[in-house]
Amino acid sequence: MDIEEEAPVNAAVQTLLEVIARAKLRAEERRKQREEAAQQEYGVLKKADGTVELHLPPAPTKPGADECCNSGCTPCIVDTYWERVHAHAADVRALQAQYQRILGGEPLEASEHHIRKAHPQWGLLDPLKF
């Protein structure tokens, strides 16, 4: 066999390499989405003209059907996703309640007058800071 010739690749190995390549692409896309979300400001934002706007945090990205390896990992990507969904829902409810209080004329506590940014790892508000 000539050194420059490539050995034939087993079909199963080729399939596995393709699956890994697709998973890496999806992981990179999710990382970029989290970084973009982390740059977005959200919360109840007061504009220069005195009006207020409600900007909700971005929802977590659902993992693809083939991203879970079904081997019982801890933490599993699916479990982590659902934890993010529940934390996101809590964030949205809290921000909506805050917005309704402002619209109703109720003054907010000083600690509530800040702009929140998405957590870079999860793409939503860090639940430990709530």
PDB file of all heavy atoms in Angstrom, residues 62-98:
ATOM      1  N   LYS A  62     -33.695  24.575  23.333  1.00  0.00           N
ATOM      2  CA  LYS A  62     -33.972  23.154  23.559  1.00  0.00           C
ATOM      3  C   LYS A  62     -32.913  22.308  22.858  1.00  0.00           C
ATOM      4  O   LYS A  62     -32.582  22.556  21.700  1.00  0.00           O
ATOM      5  CB  LYS A  62     -35.358  22.807  23.025  1.00  0.00           C
ATOM      6  CG  LYS A  62     -35.780  21.396  23.340  1.00  0.00           C
ATOM      7  CD  LYS A  62     -37.217  21.162  22.945  1.00  0.00           C
ATOM      8  CE  LYS A  62     -37.639  19.770  23.376  1.00  0.00           C
ATOM      9  NZ  LYS A  62     -39.059  19.551  23.149  1.00  0.00           N
ATOM     10  N   PRO A  63     -32.384  21.305  23.553  1.00  0.00           N
ATOM     11  CA  PRO A  63     -31.394  20.442  22.905  1.00  0.00           C
ATOM     12  C   PRO A  63     -32.049  19.595  21.816  1.00  0.00           C
ATOM     13  O   PRO A  63     -33.235  19.281  21.896  1.00  0.00           O
ATOM     14  CB  PRO A  63     -30.868  19.563  24.048  1.00  0.00           C
ATOM     15  CG  PRO A  63     -31.894  19.631  25.114  1.00  0.00           C
ATOM     16  CD  PRO A  63     -32.629  20.925  24.934  1.00  0.00           C
ATOM     17  N   GLY A  64     -31.271  19.253  20.820  1.00  0.00           N
ATOM     18  CA  GLY A  64     -31.764  18.409  19.740  1.00  0.00           C
ATOM     19  C   GLY A  64     -32.021  16.993  20.225  1.00  0.00           C
ATOM     20  O   GLY A  64     -31.498  16.563  21.257  1.00  0.00           O
ATOM     21  N   ALA A  65     -32.843  16.270  19.481  1.00  0.00           N
ATOM     22  CA  ALA A  65     -33.209  14.911  19.859  1.00  0.00           C
ATOM     23  C   ALA A  65     -31.998  13.980  19.942  1.00  0.00           C
ATOM     24  O   ALA A  65     -31.984  13.041  20.736  1.00  0.00           O
ATOM     25  CB  ALA A  65     -34.220  14.346  18.869  1.00  0.00           C
ATOM     26  N   ASP A  66     -30.987  14.262  19.151  1.00  0.00           N
ATOM     27  CA  ASP A  66     -29.814  13.386  19.138  1.00  0.00           C
ATOM     28  C   ASP A  66     -28.691  13.894  20.038  1.00  0.00           C
ATOM     29  O   ASP A  66     -27.596  13.339  20.019  1.00  0.00           O
ATOM     30  CB  ASP A  66     -29.297  13.218  17.718  1.00  0.00           C
ATOM     31  CG  ASP A  66     -28.883  14.527  17.079  1.00  0.00           C
ATOM     32  OD1 ASP A  66     -29.289  15.597  17.584  1.00  0.00           O
ATOM     33  OD2 ASP A  66     -28.145  14.484  16.083  1.00  0.00           O
ATOM     34  N   GLU A  67     -28.955  14.905  20.861  1.00  0.00           N
ATOM     35  CA  GLU A  67     -27.900  15.444  21.710  1.00  0.00           C
ATOM     36  C   GLU A  67     -27.777  14.704  23.040  1.00  0.00           C
ATOM     37  O   GLU A  67     -26.761  14.801  23.705  1.00  0.00           O
ATOM     38  CB  GLU A  67     -28.126  16.933  21.955  1.00  0.00           C
ATOM     39  CG  GLU A  67     -27.910  17.735  20.693  1.00  0.00           C
ATOM     40  CD  GLU A  67     -28.024  19.216  20.948  1.00  0.00           C
ATOM     41  OE1 GLU A  67     -27.108  19.763  21.586  1.00  0.00           O
ATOM     42  OE2 GLU A  67     -29.016  19.811  20.511  1.00  0.00           O
ATOM     43  N   CYS A  68     -28.827  14.011  23.448  1.00  0.00           N
ATOM     44  CA  CYS A  68     -28.758  13.223  24.684  1.00  0.00           C
ATOM     45  C   CYS A  68     -28.187  11.851  24.334  1.00  0.00           C
ATOM     46  O   CYS A  68     -28.637  11.194  23.399  1.00  0.00           O
ATOM     47  CB  CYS A  68     -30.150  13.073  25.297  1.00  0.00           C
ATOM     48  SG  CYS A  68     -30.165  12.016  26.768  1.00  0.00           S
ATOM     49  N   CYS A  69     -27.204  11.432  25.104  1.00  0.00           N
ATOM     50  CA  CYS A  69     -26.554  10.149  24.812  1.00  0.00           C
ATOM     51  C   CYS A  69     -27.298   8.961  25.434  1.00  0.00           C
ATOM     52  O   CYS A  69     -26.951   7.815  25.182  1.00  0.00           O
ATOM     53  CB  CYS A  69     -25.108  10.178  25.295  1.00  0.00           C
ATOM     54  SG  CYS A  69     -24.944  10.354  27.090  1.00  0.00           S
ATOM     55  N   ASN A  70     -28.332   9.244  26.265  1.00  0.00           N
ATOM     56  CA  ASN A  70     -29.142   8.208  26.911  1.00  0.00           C
ATOM     57  C   ASN A  70     -28.317   7.242  27.751  1.00  0.00           C
ATOM     58  O   ASN A  70     -28.652   6.073  27.876  1.00  0.00           O
ATOM     59  CB  ASN A  70     -29.966   7.435  25.872  1.00  0.00           C
ATOM     60  CG  ASN A  70     -31.000   8.299  25.216  1.00  0.00           C
ATOM     61  OD1 ASN A  70     -31.758   8.977  25.902  1.00  0.00           O
ATOM     62  ND2 ASN A  70     -31.023   8.311  23.895  1.00  0.00           N
ATOM     63  N   SER A  71     -27.231   7.751  28.336  1.00  0.00           N
ATOM     64  CA  SER A  71     -26.404   6.876  29.167  1.00  0.00           C
ATOM     65  C   SER A  71     -26.551   7.190  30.653  1.00  0.00           C
ATOM     66  O   SER A  71     -25.820   6.651  31.473  1.00  0.00           O
ATOM     67  CB  SER A  71     -24.930   7.001  28.757  1.00  0.00           C
ATOM     68  OG  SER A  71     -24.461   8.303  29.042  1.00  0.00           O
ATOM     69  N   GLY A  72     -27.484   8.066  30.999  1.00  0.00           N
ATOM     70  CA  GLY A  72     -27.725   8.374  32.406  1.00  0.00           C
ATOM     71  C   GLY A  72     -26.734   9.357  32.993  1.00  0.00           C
ATOM     72  O   GLY A  72     -26.466   9.321  34.193  1.00  0.00           O
ATOM     73  N   CYS A  73     -26.172  10.222  32.166  1.00  0.00           N
ATOM     74  CA  CYS A  73     -25.202  11.217  32.641  1.00  0.00           C
ATOM     75  C   CYS A  73     -25.828  12.095  33.727  1.00  0.00           C
ATOM     76  O   CYS A  73     -27.025  12.330  33.738  1.00  0.00           O
ATOM     77  CB  CYS A  73     -24.777  12.154  31.518  1.00  0.00           C
ATOM     78  SG  CYS A  73     -24.107  11.366  30.069  1.00  0.00           S
ATOM     79  N   THR A  74     -24.990  12.575  34.603  1.00  0.00           N
ATOM     80  CA  THR A  74     -25.428  13.555  35.592  1.00  0.00           C
ATOM     81  C   THR A  74     -24.477  14.719  35.527  1.00  0.00           C
ATOM     82  O   THR A  74     -23.295  14.544  35.780  1.00  0.00           O
ATOM     83  CB  THR A  74     -25.418  12.945  37.009  1.00  0.00           C
ATOM     84  OG1 THR A  74     -26.264  11.809  37.008  1.00  0.00           O
ATOM     85  CG2 THR A  74     -25.919  13.951  38.014  1.00  0.00           C
ATOM     86  N   PRO A  75     -24.917  15.914  35.129  1.00  0.00           N
ATOM     87  CA  PRO A  75     -26.289  16.227  34.737  1.00  0.00           C
ATOM     88  C   PRO A  75     -26.502  15.906  33.264  1.00  0.00           C
ATOM     89  O   PRO A  75     -25.614  16.066  32.445  1.00  0.00           O
ATOM     90  CB  PRO A  75     -26.380  17.727  34.974  1.00  0.00           C
ATOM     91  CG  PRO A  75     -24.996  18.233  34.719  1.00  0.00           C
ATOM     92  CD  PRO A  75     -24.085  17.125  35.185  1.00  0.00           C
ATOM     93  N   CYS A  76     -27.717  15.472  32.967  1.00  0.00           N
ATOM     94  CA  CYS A  76     -28.102  15.203  31.578  1.00  0.00           C
ATOM     95  C   CYS A  76     -28.452  16.525  30.910  1.00  0.00           C
ATOM     96  O   CYS A  76     -29.010  17.426  31.545  1.00  0.00           O
ATOM     97  CB  CYS A  76     -29.307  14.268  31.549  1.00  0.00           C
ATOM     98  SG  CYS A  76     -29.966  13.989  29.892  1.00  0.00           S
ATOM     99  N   ILE A  77     -28.175  16.652  29.639  1.00  0.00           N
ATOM    100  CA  ILE A  77     -28.473  17.876  28.907  1.00  0.00           C
ATOM    101  C   ILE A  77     -29.970  18.176  28.921  1.00  0.00           C
ATOM    102  O   ILE A  77     -30.393  19.329  28.978  1.00  0.00           O
ATOM    103  CB  ILE A  77     -27.930  17.805  27.459  1.00  0.00           C
ATOM    104  CG1 ILE A  77     -28.034  19.162  26.783  1.00  0.00           C
ATOM    105  CG2 ILE A  77     -28.641  16.749  26.658  1.00  0.00           C
ATOM    106  CD1 ILE A  77     -27.300  19.243  25.464  1.00  0.00           C
ATOM    107  N   VAL A  78     -30.798  17.142  28.932  1.00  0.00           N
ATOM    108  CA  VAL A  78     -32.254  17.331  28.965  1.00  0.00           C
ATOM    109  C   VAL A  78     -32.687  17.840  30.334  1.00  0.00           C
ATOM    110  O   VAL A  78     -33.510  18.752  30.438  1.00  0.00           O
ATOM    111  CB  VAL A  78     -32.981  16.015  28.590  1.00  0.00           C
ATOM    112  CG1 VAL A  78     -34.487  16.165  28.720  1.00  0.00           C
ATOM    113  CG2 VAL A  78     -32.603  15.590  27.183  1.00  0.00           C
ATOM    114  N   ASP A  79     -32.139  17.258  31.411  1.00  0.00           N
ATOM    115  CA  ASP A  79     -32.460  17.731  32.759  1.00  0.00           C
ATOM    116  C   ASP A  79     -32.030  19.181  32.935  1.00  0.00           C
ATOM    117  O   ASP A  79     -32.758  19.990  33.507  1.00  0.00           O
ATOM    118  CB  ASP A  79     -31.775  16.861  33.818  1.00  0.00           C
ATOM    119  CG  ASP A  79     -32.281  15.433  33.801  1.00  0.00           C
ATOM    120  OD1 ASP A  79     -33.422  15.203  33.350  1.00  0.00           O
ATOM    121  OD2 ASP A  79     -31.523  14.538  34.236  1.00  0.00           O
ATOM    122  N   THR A  80     -30.845  19.508  32.450  1.00  0.00           N
ATOM    123  CA  THR A  80     -30.344  20.871  32.543  1.00  0.00           C
ATOM    124  C   THR A  80     -31.250  21.823  31.777  1.00  0.00           C
ATOM    125  O   THR A  80     -31.540  22.924  32.248  1.00  0.00           O
ATOM    126  CB  THR A  80     -28.909  20.949  31.985  1.00  0.00           C
ATOM    127  OG1 THR A  80     -28.098  20.008  32.689  1.00  0.00           O
ATOM    128  CG2 THR A  80     -28.320  22.322  32.142  1.00  0.00           C
ATOM    129  N   TYR A  81     -31.722  21.396  30.629  1.00  0.00           N
ATOM    130  CA  TYR A  81     -32.640  22.225  29.842  1.00  0.00           C
ATOM    131  C   TYR A  81     -33.903  22.514  30.644  1.00  0.00           C
ATOM    132  O   TYR A  81     -34.358  23.663  30.717  1.00  0.00           O
ATOM    133  CB  TYR A  81     -33.001  21.538  28.518  1.00  0.00           C
ATOM    134  CG  TYR A  81     -34.170  22.178  27.819  1.00  0.00           C
ATOM    135  CD1 TYR A  81     -34.039  23.417  27.200  1.00  0.00           C
ATOM    136  CD2 TYR A  81     -35.429  21.574  27.810  1.00  0.00           C
ATOM    137  CE1 TYR A  81     -35.111  24.028  26.572  1.00  0.00           C
ATOM    138  CE2 TYR A  81     -36.506  22.180  27.183  1.00  0.00           C
ATOM    139  CZ  TYR A  81     -36.339  23.400  26.571  1.00  0.00           C
ATOM    140  OH  TYR A  81     -37.404  24.003  25.962  1.00  0.00           O
ATOM    141  N   TRP A  82     -34.507  21.495  31.259  1.00  0.00           N
ATOM    142  CA  TRP A  82     -35.748  21.717  31.999  1.00  0.00           C
ATOM    143  C   TRP A  82     -35.514  22.592  33.228  1.00  0.00           C
ATOM    144  O   TRP A  82     -36.382  23.387  33.603  1.00  0.00           O
ATOM    145  CB  TRP A  82     -36.408  20.393  32.360  1.00  0.00           C
ATOM    146  CG  TRP A  82     -37.042  19.799  31.138  1.00  0.00           C
ATOM    147  CD1 TRP A  82     -36.661  18.672  30.466  1.00  0.00           C
ATOM    148  CD2 TRP A  82     -38.141  20.336  30.401  1.00  0.00           C
ATOM    149  NE1 TRP A  82     -37.451  18.487  29.366  1.00  0.00           N
ATOM    150  CE2 TRP A  82     -38.377  19.488  29.292  1.00  0.00           C
ATOM    151  CE3 TRP A  82     -38.957  21.451  30.551  1.00  0.00           C
ATOM    152  CZ2 TRP A  82     -39.390  19.723  28.373  1.00  0.00           C
ATOM    153  CZ3 TRP A  82     -39.962  21.682  29.623  1.00  0.00           C
ATOM    154  CH2 TRP A  82     -40.174  20.820  28.556  1.00  0.00           C
ATOM    155  N   GLU A  83     -34.353  22.483  33.855  1.00  0.00           N
ATOM    156  CA  GLU A  83     -34.032  23.391  34.963  1.00  0.00           C
ATOM    157  C   GLU A  83     -33.995  24.830  34.450  1.00  0.00           C
ATOM    158  O   GLU A  83     -34.502  25.744  35.102  1.00  0.00           O
ATOM    159  CB  GLU A  83     -32.686  23.018  35.580  1.00  0.00           C
ATOM    160  CG  GLU A  83     -32.712  21.731  36.365  1.00  0.00           C
ATOM    161  CD  GLU A  83     -31.325  21.276  36.788  1.00  0.00           C
ATOM    162  OE1 GLU A  83     -30.335  22.020  36.581  1.00  0.00           O
ATOM    163  OE2 GLU A  83     -31.230  20.158  37.322  1.00  0.00           O
ATOM    164  N   ARG A  84     -33.413  25.029  33.280  1.00  0.00           N
ATOM    165  CA  ARG A  84     -33.361  26.365  32.676  1.00  0.00           C
ATOM    166  C   ARG A  84     -34.755  26.880  32.323  1.00  0.00           C
ATOM    167  O   ARG A  84     -35.050  28.063  32.495  1.00  0.00           O
ATOM    168  CB  ARG A  84     -32.501  26.346  31.419  1.00  0.00           C
ATOM    169  CG  ARG A  84     -31.046  26.104  31.679  1.00  0.00           C
ATOM    170  CD  ARG A  84     -30.292  26.067  30.381  1.00  0.00           C
ATOM    171  NE  ARG A  84     -28.965  25.534  30.574  1.00  0.00           N
ATOM    172  CZ  ARG A  84     -28.245  24.992  29.622  1.00  0.00           C
ATOM    173  NH1 ARG A  84     -28.715  24.927  28.390  1.00  0.00           N
ATOM    174  NH2 ARG A  84     -27.048  24.534  29.869  1.00  0.00           N
ATOM    175  N   VAL A  85     -35.613  25.990  31.815  1.00  0.00           N
ATOM    176  CA  VAL A  85     -36.984  26.375  31.466  1.00  0.00           C
ATOM    177  C   VAL A  85     -37.724  26.853  32.712  1.00  0.00           C
ATOM    178  O   VAL A  85     -38.399  27.893  32.693  1.00  0.00           O
ATOM    179  CB  VAL A  85     -37.737  25.200  30.791  1.00  0.00           C
ATOM    180  CG1 VAL A  85     -39.228  25.461  30.726  1.00  0.00           C
ATOM    181  CG2 VAL A  85     -37.181  24.950  29.403  1.00  0.00           C
ATOM    182  N   HIS A  86     -37.606  26.114  33.818  1.00  0.00           N
ATOM    183  CA  HIS A  86     -38.293  26.501  35.056  1.00  0.00           C
ATOM    184  C   HIS A  86     -37.734  27.815  35.601  1.00  0.00           C
ATOM    185  O   HIS A  86     -38.495  28.676  36.057  1.00  0.00           O
ATOM    186  CB  HIS A  86     -38.200  25.387  36.090  1.00  0.00           C
ATOM    187  CG  HIS A  86     -38.947  24.145  35.691  1.00  0.00           C
ATOM    188  ND1 HIS A  86     -40.294  24.129  35.435  1.00  0.00           N
ATOM    189  CD2 HIS A  86     -38.514  22.886  35.472  1.00  0.00           C
ATOM    190  CE1 HIS A  86     -40.669  22.907  35.087  1.00  0.00           C
ATOM    191  NE2 HIS A  86     -39.601  22.140  35.096  1.00  0.00           N
ATOM    192  N   ALA A  87     -36.425  27.995  35.547  1.00  0.00           N
ATOM    193  CA  ALA A  87     -35.821  29.247  36.010  1.00  0.00           C
ATOM    194  C   ALA A  87     -36.257  30.406  35.117  1.00  0.00           C
ATOM    195  O   ALA A  87     -36.550  31.503  35.605  1.00  0.00           O
ATOM    196  CB  ALA A  87     -34.297  29.129  36.028  1.00  0.00           C
ATOM    197  N   HIS A  88     -36.328  30.174  33.815  1.00  0.00           N
ATOM    198  CA  HIS A  88     -36.768  31.205  32.875  1.00  0.00           C
ATOM    199  C   HIS A  88     -38.209  31.604  33.169  1.00  0.00           C
ATOM    200  O   HIS A  88     -38.542  32.790  33.192  1.00  0.00           O
ATOM    201  CB  HIS A  88     -36.632  30.701  31.435  1.00  0.00           C
ATOM    202  CG  HIS A  88     -37.111  31.665  30.413  1.00  0.00           C
ATOM    203  ND1 HIS A  88     -38.385  31.608  29.895  1.00  0.00           N
ATOM    204  CD2 HIS A  88     -36.507  32.728  29.824  1.00  0.00           C
ATOM    205  CE1 HIS A  88     -38.552  32.585  29.030  1.00  0.00           C
ATOM    206  NE2 HIS A  88     -37.426  33.284  28.965  1.00  0.00           N
ATOM    207  N   ALA A  89     -39.068  30.618  33.403  1.00  0.00           N
ATOM    208  CA  ALA A  89     -40.472  30.912  33.705  1.00  0.00           C
ATOM    209  C   ALA A  89     -40.584  31.742  34.988  1.00  0.00           C
ATOM    210  O   ALA A  89     -41.387  32.686  35.052  1.00  0.00           O
ATOM    211  CB  ALA A  89     -41.268  29.615  33.834  1.00  0.00           C
ATOM    212  N   ALA A  90     -39.781  31.421  35.988  1.00  0.00           N
ATOM    213  CA  ALA A  90     -39.796  32.196  37.234  1.00  0.00           C
ATOM    214  C   ALA A  90     -39.320  33.630  36.970  1.00  0.00           C
ATOM    215  O   ALA A  90     -39.889  34.586  37.515  1.00  0.00           O
ATOM    216  CB  ALA A  90     -38.915  31.524  38.285  1.00  0.00           C
ATOM    217  N   ASP A  91     -38.298  33.787  36.154  1.00  0.00           N
ATOM    218  CA  ASP A  91     -37.800  35.126  35.800  1.00  0.00           C
ATOM    219  C   ASP A  91     -38.883  35.938  35.104  1.00  0.00           C
ATOM    220  O   ASP A  91     -39.106  37.103  35.418  1.00  0.00           O
ATOM    221  CB  ASP A  91     -36.588  35.041  34.868  1.00  0.00           C
ATOM    222  CG  ASP A  91     -35.345  34.517  35.542  1.00  0.00           C
ATOM    223  OD1 ASP A  91     -35.320  34.459  36.779  1.00  0.00           O
ATOM    224  OD2 ASP A  91     -34.393  34.170  34.811  1.00  0.00           O
ATOM    225  N   VAL A  92     -39.567  35.313  34.156  1.00  0.00           N
ATOM    226  CA  VAL A  92     -40.598  36.007  33.395  1.00  0.00           C
ATOM    227  C   VAL A  92     -41.731  36.433  34.321  1.00  0.00           C
ATOM    228  O   VAL A  92     -42.205  37.574  34.262  1.00  0.00           O
ATOM    229  CB  VAL A  92     -41.115  35.123  32.231  1.00  0.00           C
ATOM    230  CG1 VAL A  92     -42.386  35.686  31.615  1.00  0.00           C
ATOM    231  CG2 VAL A  92     -40.030  34.973  31.175  1.00  0.00           C
ATOM    232  N   ARG A  93     -42.167  35.515  35.203  1.00  0.00           N
ATOM    233  CA  ARG A  93     -43.246  35.868  36.136  1.00  0.00           C
ATOM    234  C   ARG A  93     -42.837  37.032  37.035  1.00  0.00           C
ATOM    235  O   ARG A  93     -43.620  37.965  37.264  1.00  0.00           O
ATOM    236  CB  ARG A  93     -43.630  34.657  36.991  1.00  0.00           C
ATOM    237  CG  ARG A  93     -44.473  33.645  36.258  1.00  0.00           C
ATOM    238  CD  ARG A  93     -45.038  32.606  37.212  1.00  0.00           C
ATOM    239  NE  ARG A  93     -44.034  31.915  37.994  1.00  0.00           N
ATOM    240  CZ  ARG A  93     -43.378  30.830  37.608  1.00  0.00           C
ATOM    241  NH1 ARG A  93     -43.632  30.303  36.417  1.00  0.00           N
ATOM    242  NH2 ARG A  93     -42.483  30.260  38.379  1.00  0.00           N
ATOM    243  N   ALA A  94     -41.615  37.019  37.539  1.00  0.00           N
ATOM    244  CA  ALA A  94     -41.149  38.093  38.420  1.00  0.00           C
ATOM    245  C   ALA A  94     -41.077  39.421  37.679  1.00  0.00           C
ATOM    246  O   ALA A  94     -41.489  40.461  38.213  1.00  0.00           O
ATOM    247  CB  ALA A  94     -39.776  37.730  39.002  1.00  0.00           C
ATOM    248  N   LEU A  95     -40.578  39.406  36.456  1.00  0.00           N
ATOM    249  CA  LEU A  95     -40.487  40.637  35.682  1.00  0.00           C
ATOM    250  C   LEU A  95     -41.863  41.165  35.298  1.00  0.00           C
ATOM    251  O   LEU A  95     -42.107  42.370  35.327  1.00  0.00           O
ATOM    252  CB  LEU A  95     -39.636  40.424  34.430  1.00  0.00           C
ATOM    253  CG  LEU A  95     -38.144  40.217  34.695  1.00  0.00           C
ATOM    254  CD1 LEU A  95     -37.440  39.773  33.428  1.00  0.00           C
ATOM    255  CD2 LEU A  95     -37.524  41.471  35.257  1.00  0.00           C
ATOM    256  N   GLN A  96     -42.783  40.264  34.951  1.00  0.00           N
ATOM    257  CA  GLN A  96     -44.133  40.698  34.618  1.00  0.00           C
ATOM    258  C   GLN A  96     -44.831  41.306  35.835  1.00  0.00           C
ATOM    259  O   GLN A  96     -45.527  42.316  35.713  1.00  0.00           O
ATOM    260  CB  GLN A  96     -44.945  39.533  34.056  1.00  0.00           C
ATOM    261  CG  GLN A  96     -44.510  39.141  32.663  1.00  0.00           C
ATOM    262  CD  GLN A  96     -45.178  37.883  32.161  1.00  0.00           C
ATOM    263  OE1 GLN A  96     -45.549  36.997  32.931  1.00  0.00           O
ATOM    264  NE2 GLN A  96     -45.323  37.784  30.841  1.00  0.00           N
ATOM    265  N   ALA A  97     -44.620  40.709  37.011  1.00  0.00           N
ATOM    266  CA  ALA A  97     -45.213  41.256  38.236  1.00  0.00           C
ATOM    267  C   ALA A  97     -44.627  42.632  38.535  1.00  0.00           C
ATOM    268  O   ALA A  97     -45.352  43.564  38.905  1.00  0.00           O
ATOM    269  CB  ALA A  97     -44.978  40.297  39.402  1.00  0.00           C
ATOM    270  N   GLN A  98     -43.328  42.764  38.361  1.00  0.00           N
ATOM    271  CA  GLN A  98     -42.668  44.050  38.591  1.00  0.00           C
ATOM    272  C   GLN A  98     -43.223  45.100  37.627  1.00  0.00           C
ATOM    273  O   GLN A  98     -43.530  46.222  38.021  1.00  0.00           O
ATOM    274  CB  GLN A  98     -41.157  43.900  38.404  1.00  0.00           C
ATOM    275  CG  GLN A  98     -40.381  45.170  38.625  1.00  0.00           C
ATOM    276  CD  GLN A  98     -38.900  44.992  38.298  1.00  0.00           C
ATOM    277  OE1 GLN A  98     -38.544  44.187  37.438  1.00  0.00           O
ATOM    278  NE2 GLN A  98     -38.056  45.721  38.976  1.00  0.00           N
TER     279      GLN A  98
END
